[in-house]
Short mmCIF file of all heavy atoms in Angstrom, two decimals:
data_model
loop_
_atom_site.label_atom_id
_atom_site.label_comp_id
_atom_site.label_asym_id
_atom_site.label_seq_id
_atom_site.Cartn_x
_atom_site.Cartn_y
_atom_site.Cartn_z
N GLY A 277 12.38 -107.90 -27.76
CA GLY A 277 12.50 -107.31 -26.44
C GLY A 277 12.45 -105.79 -26.45
O GLY A 277 12.01 -105.15 -27.40
N ALA A 278 12.92 -105.22 -25.34
CA ALA A 278 12.85 -103.78 -25.11
C ALA A 278 14.04 -103.10 -25.78
O ALA A 278 15.01 -102.70 -25.12
CB ALA A 278 12.82 -103.48 -23.62
N ILE A 279 13.97 -102.96 -27.09
CA ILE A 279 15.07 -102.38 -27.86
C ILE A 279 14.58 -101.20 -28.67
O ILE A 279 13.39 -101.04 -28.92
CB ILE A 279 15.71 -103.42 -28.81
CG1 ILE A 279 14.66 -103.98 -29.78
CG2 ILE A 279 16.37 -104.53 -28.01
CD1 ILE A 279 15.24 -104.92 -30.84
N PHE A 280 15.53 -100.35 -29.10
CA PHE A 280 15.21 -99.27 -30.01
C PHE A 280 15.29 -99.83 -31.42
O PHE A 280 16.37 -100.05 -31.96
CB PHE A 280 16.19 -98.11 -29.84
CG PHE A 280 15.93 -96.97 -30.79
CD1 PHE A 280 14.83 -96.17 -30.63
CD2 PHE A 280 16.80 -96.70 -31.84
CE1 PHE A 280 14.57 -95.12 -31.49
CE2 PHE A 280 16.56 -95.65 -32.72
CZ PHE A 280 15.45 -94.86 -32.54
N ALA A 281 14.13 -100.10 -32.00
CA ALA A 281 14.08 -100.68 -33.34
C ALA A 281 12.72 -100.39 -33.94
O ALA A 281 11.71 -100.39 -33.25
CB ALA A 281 14.34 -102.18 -33.29
N PHE A 282 12.72 -100.16 -35.24
CA PHE A 282 11.47 -99.94 -35.96
C PHE A 282 10.85 -101.26 -36.41
O PHE A 282 9.66 -101.34 -36.67
CB PHE A 282 11.71 -99.01 -37.14
CG PHE A 282 12.21 -97.65 -36.74
CD1 PHE A 282 13.57 -97.39 -36.67
CD2 PHE A 282 11.33 -96.65 -36.37
CE1 PHE A 282 14.05 -96.16 -36.28
CE2 PHE A 282 11.79 -95.40 -35.98
CZ PHE A 282 13.15 -95.15 -35.93
N THR A 283 11.69 -102.28 -36.51
CA THR A 283 11.21 -103.64 -36.80
C THR A 283 11.90 -104.60 -35.85
O THR A 283 13.09 -104.45 -35.56
CB THR A 283 11.52 -104.04 -38.25
OG1 THR A 283 12.94 -104.00 -38.47
CG2 THR A 283 10.86 -103.10 -39.24
N GLY A 284 11.17 -105.59 -35.36
CA GLY A 284 11.79 -106.64 -34.55
C GLY A 284 11.76 -106.43 -33.05
O GLY A 284 12.28 -107.28 -32.31
N ALA A 285 11.17 -105.34 -32.55
CA ALA A 285 11.10 -105.12 -31.11
C ALA A 285 9.88 -105.81 -30.52
O ALA A 285 8.96 -106.22 -31.24
CB ALA A 285 11.06 -103.62 -30.80
N GLY A 286 9.87 -105.94 -29.18
CA GLY A 286 8.72 -106.51 -28.49
C GLY A 286 8.77 -108.01 -28.37
O GLY A 286 9.84 -108.63 -28.49
N PRO A 287 7.62 -108.66 -28.15
CA PRO A 287 7.59 -110.12 -27.99
C PRO A 287 7.71 -110.82 -29.33
O PRO A 287 6.99 -110.51 -30.27
CB PRO A 287 6.22 -110.36 -27.34
CG PRO A 287 5.37 -109.21 -27.79
CD PRO A 287 6.30 -108.04 -27.94
N VAL A 288 8.62 -111.78 -29.40
CA VAL A 288 8.85 -112.53 -30.64
C VAL A 288 9.07 -114.00 -30.28
O VAL A 288 9.30 -114.35 -29.13
CB VAL A 288 10.07 -111.99 -31.43
CG1 VAL A 288 9.86 -110.54 -31.83
CG2 VAL A 288 11.35 -112.13 -30.60
N ASP A 289 9.03 -114.83 -31.30
CA ASP A 289 9.33 -116.26 -31.14
C ASP A 289 10.82 -116.41 -30.81
O ASP A 289 11.68 -116.00 -31.59
CB ASP A 289 8.98 -116.99 -32.44
CG ASP A 289 9.18 -118.49 -32.34
OD1 ASP A 289 9.73 -118.97 -31.34
OD2 ASP A 289 8.78 -119.20 -33.30
N ASN A 290 11.12 -117.01 -29.66
CA ASN A 290 12.51 -117.12 -29.20
C ASN A 290 13.20 -118.40 -29.64
O ASN A 290 14.29 -118.70 -29.16
CB ASN A 290 12.56 -117.00 -27.67
CG ASN A 290 12.61 -115.58 -27.17
OD1 ASN A 290 13.40 -115.22 -26.30
ND2 ASN A 290 11.75 -114.72 -27.72
N ALA A 291 12.58 -119.17 -30.53
CA ALA A 291 13.17 -120.45 -30.94
C ALA A 291 14.61 -120.31 -31.45
O ALA A 291 15.47 -121.13 -31.09
CB ALA A 291 12.28 -121.13 -31.97
N PRO A 292 14.91 -119.32 -32.31
CA PRO A 292 16.29 -119.22 -32.79
C PRO A 292 17.31 -119.00 -31.66
O PRO A 292 18.44 -119.48 -31.74
CB PRO A 292 16.25 -118.01 -33.73
CG PRO A 292 14.82 -117.90 -34.15
CD PRO A 292 14.03 -118.32 -32.95
N LEU A 293 16.87 -118.31 -30.61
CA LEU A 293 17.76 -118.06 -29.47
C LEU A 293 17.90 -119.31 -28.62
O LEU A 293 19.01 -119.69 -28.21
CB LEU A 293 17.20 -116.90 -28.65
CG LEU A 293 18.09 -116.31 -27.55
CD1 LEU A 293 19.35 -115.73 -28.13
CD2 LEU A 293 17.32 -115.26 -26.76
N GLU A 294 16.79 -119.96 -28.36
CA GLU A 294 16.80 -121.12 -27.46
C GLU A 294 17.52 -122.33 -28.06
O GLU A 294 17.89 -123.25 -27.32
CB GLU A 294 15.35 -121.47 -27.09
CG GLU A 294 14.66 -120.39 -26.28
CD GLU A 294 13.17 -120.59 -26.13
OE1 GLU A 294 12.64 -121.59 -26.68
OE2 GLU A 294 12.52 -119.74 -25.47
N SER A 295 17.70 -122.35 -29.36
CA SER A 295 18.38 -123.48 -30.01
C SER A 295 19.90 -123.36 -29.96
O SER A 295 20.60 -124.30 -30.33
CB SER A 295 17.92 -123.60 -31.46
OG SER A 295 18.35 -122.47 -32.22
N ARG A 296 20.41 -122.23 -29.49
CA ARG A 296 21.86 -122.03 -29.46
C ARG A 296 22.50 -122.77 -28.30
O ARG A 296 21.91 -122.87 -27.20
CB ARG A 296 22.20 -120.54 -29.36
CG ARG A 296 21.93 -119.75 -30.63
CD ARG A 296 22.29 -118.29 -30.43
NE ARG A 296 23.70 -118.10 -30.09
CZ ARG A 296 24.66 -117.77 -30.95
NH1 ARG A 296 24.37 -117.62 -32.24
NH2 ARG A 296 25.91 -117.60 -30.54
N PRO A 297 23.73 -123.25 -28.47
CA PRO A 297 24.41 -123.96 -27.37
C PRO A 297 24.86 -123.04 -26.24
O PRO A 297 25.20 -123.54 -25.16
CB PRO A 297 25.61 -124.61 -28.07
CG PRO A 297 25.87 -123.76 -29.27
CD PRO A 297 24.51 -123.30 -29.73
N ASP A 298 24.88 -121.71 -26.48
CA ASP A 298 25.29 -120.80 -25.42
C ASP A 298 24.10 -120.17 -24.70
O ASP A 298 24.23 -119.10 -24.07
CB ASP A 298 26.21 -119.69 -25.97
CG ASP A 298 25.61 -118.94 -27.16
OD1 ASP A 298 24.45 -119.24 -27.54
OD2 ASP A 298 26.30 -118.05 -27.70
N VAL A 299 22.94 -120.81 -24.79
CA VAL A 299 21.73 -120.36 -24.09
C VAL A 299 21.14 -121.53 -23.31
O VAL A 299 20.92 -122.61 -23.88
CB VAL A 299 20.68 -119.80 -25.08
CG1 VAL A 299 19.40 -119.41 -24.33
CG2 VAL A 299 21.24 -118.60 -25.83
N LEU A 300 20.89 -121.31 -22.02
CA LEU A 300 20.24 -122.32 -21.18
C LEU A 300 18.75 -122.00 -21.06
O LEU A 300 18.38 -120.82 -20.96
CB LEU A 300 20.86 -122.35 -19.78
CG LEU A 300 22.37 -122.61 -19.71
CD1 LEU A 300 22.84 -122.58 -18.26
CD2 LEU A 300 22.73 -123.94 -20.37
N ALA A 301 17.92 -123.01 -21.05
CA ALA A 301 16.48 -122.83 -20.94
C ALA A 301 15.91 -123.79 -19.91
O ALA A 301 16.20 -124.99 -19.94
CB ALA A 301 15.80 -123.05 -22.30
N TYR A 302 15.12 -123.25 -18.99
CA TYR A 302 14.47 -124.05 -17.94
C TYR A 302 12.97 -123.78 -18.02
O TYR A 302 12.53 -122.63 -17.93
CB TYR A 302 15.01 -123.67 -16.57
CG TYR A 302 16.51 -123.82 -16.46
CD1 TYR A 302 17.36 -122.73 -16.68
CD2 TYR A 302 17.09 -125.06 -16.18
CE1 TYR A 302 18.74 -122.87 -16.62
CE2 TYR A 302 18.47 -125.21 -16.11
CZ TYR A 302 19.29 -124.11 -16.33
OH TYR A 302 20.66 -124.26 -16.27
N THR A 303 12.19 -124.85 -18.16
CA THR A 303 10.77 -124.71 -18.46
C THR A 303 9.92 -125.38 -17.38
O THR A 303 10.26 -126.47 -16.90
CB THR A 303 10.46 -125.35 -19.83
OG1 THR A 303 11.35 -124.81 -20.81
CG2 THR A 303 9.02 -125.08 -20.25
N SER A 304 8.82 -124.72 -17.04
CA SER A 304 7.91 -125.26 -16.02
C SER A 304 6.95 -126.30 -16.62
O SER A 304 6.84 -126.43 -17.84
CB SER A 304 7.10 -124.12 -15.39
OG SER A 304 6.09 -123.68 -16.28
N GLN A 305 6.24 -126.97 -15.74
CA GLN A 305 5.12 -127.78 -16.17
C GLN A 305 3.99 -126.85 -16.62
O GLN A 305 4.01 -125.64 -16.37
CB GLN A 305 4.64 -128.67 -15.02
CG GLN A 305 5.66 -129.71 -14.58
CD GLN A 305 5.93 -130.75 -15.65
OE1 GLN A 305 5.00 -131.25 -16.28
NE2 GLN A 305 7.20 -131.07 -15.86
N VAL A 306 2.99 -127.40 -17.27
CA VAL A 306 1.84 -126.60 -17.71
C VAL A 306 1.13 -126.02 -16.49
O VAL A 306 0.90 -126.71 -15.49
CB VAL A 306 0.88 -127.48 -18.53
CG1 VAL A 306 -0.44 -126.76 -18.78
CG2 VAL A 306 1.52 -127.88 -19.84
N LEU A 307 0.83 -124.73 -16.55
CA LEU A 307 0.11 -124.07 -15.45
C LEU A 307 -1.33 -124.56 -15.40
O LEU A 307 -2.00 -124.67 -16.43
CB LEU A 307 0.13 -122.56 -15.64
CG LEU A 307 1.50 -121.87 -15.62
CD1 LEU A 307 1.34 -120.39 -15.95
CD2 LEU A 307 2.17 -122.05 -14.27
#
């Protein structure tokens, strides 16, 4: 995401975040 970092900023695979029990995810049908 939009962070001050020399490595790891910007768009990344969010799988590690979405697998946590304290994160909710709502997904659309295919566009």
